[in-house]
Amino acid sequence: IQDAIAHRLEQIAAESKGFEAKYGMKFAAYKQRWDSENTPTDFSYESENDYLRWESLETRRARLESLRTPVP
């Protein structure tokens, strides 16, 4: 199961890097910008969809990392 978790974390990292390249920032910075509601382009369908997908990746990443067993 640890191999499956590691594989899924790699997939999540790759997809997250795509969003980081597209928006030029990490999720935490994008979330802060999103929460401020100061950027009109964040209200587009594409941006909202990206935000929700990216947020779900971060949530899933955190959950999977909590399931990993430390390597001695």
Side-chain angles (χ1 to χ4, degrees), residues 18-69:
F19 287 122
E20 290 171 8
K22 181 175 182 176
Y23 292 101
M25 62 187 79
K26 300 277 187 189
F27 178 73
Y30 189 71
K31 182 177 181 356
Q32 185 175 13
R33 183 178 96 174
W34 179 269
D35 289 343
S36 73
E37 298 181 357
N38 289 331
T39 309
T41 57
D42 288 343
F43 298 110
S44 73
Y45 176 79
E46 180 182 10
S47 292
E48 187 172 343
N49 234 13
D50 286 351
Y51 174 82
L52 293 172
R53 176 68 181 150
W54 201 358
E55 181 182 45
S56 73
L57 290 170
E58 291 299 309
T59 301
R60 203 167 310 133
R61 179 194 55 75
R63 175 71 175 129
L64 288 170
E65 285 179 349
S66 75
L67 296 174
R68 289 177 97 175
T69 55

